[in-house]
Structures are given as C-alpha cells and as structure tokens.
Amino acid sequence: MGFCEKRIQLAHLYGEQVTHEQQKDRARGQLAHQRYLEDGLSSRGDRRCFVATCVFGQDALETQVLRQYRDAVLLRCRLGRWIVGLYYRTSPSLCAHLVRSAAAMDATRRLLRVVVAGCLLHIARRDEQ
C-alpha cells in the first residue's frame, strides 16, 4: 500500500489520526489475516486429501498423518509444492476410479499404509533434530 507524501508529512507532524471506525476495521482485518495465516499453516486450512479421504475417511488417523506431512514437509519446498499441485490435479479422477473398483481400493489402502508409516518415521526424525 502506498501513501501520498502529504499524508506522511501530516502524520509525522500531528500523529496518526485514526477514527474509532478505522481502528475497528484495522483490528478486524488483522484478525482475518491472522486466521488466514493459521489456516494456511495448519491442516485445518486445507483439508484436501482426496485419495486418503476416499480410502480411509475424512478424519481417519492415516488421513491426518498425510495432511501433516504435506503441511510440515512438502509445502515447505518448491518440489514438494509442485508434487502437491500435481496431486490436486490428478487425484479427483483417481478417486472416481477407486470408487468403482474394490480391488483398486484395497491395493491403494495397502500402499497408503506403507506411505503413512514412512511419513511418520520422517516426521519423527525431523522432530528429533
């Protein structure tokens, strides 16, 4: 945001003149930004985990672990963000296939349990350091 030079000069000479309405709006905006930031850094903010939700359920432990791994590890590097973006583009169609095939659902469930175990180990090692 930019300010005109005159406003900066007046604020310097007379102090910041903020009305009660502006104070309320500023506080509301700061609270909204804080919530947005917290949602972006926590698993509550982005609950998209299509395949795990399809296979295990929305609030299953496995789904929560995968979300935690995404937030704590993948979203913190460029390659990880690219992988997550690719996953978001392809996983809805994968889920449509899984719903139609019990064998594919079972195989995916077994594979994801191995992935979840690896994610848990990686997170535990990271936390130890």
Side-chain angles (χ1 to χ4, degrees), residues 82-97:
W82 181 83
I83 290 169
V84 170
L86 178 65
Y87 170 78
Y88 287 159
R89 287 189 297 276
T90 59
S91 60
S93 59
L94 177 61
C95 289
H97 173 71

Side-chain angles (χ1 to χ4, degrees), residues 13-33:
L13 291 173
Y14 302 108
E16 186 69 32
Q17 302 293 317
V18 180
T19 66
H20 179 67
E21 209 48 45
Q22 289 172 324
Q23 288 174 344
K24 284 176 32 181
D25 290 342
R26 183 180 290 168
R28 190 185 65 215
Q30 289 172 340
L31 181 63
H33 282 283

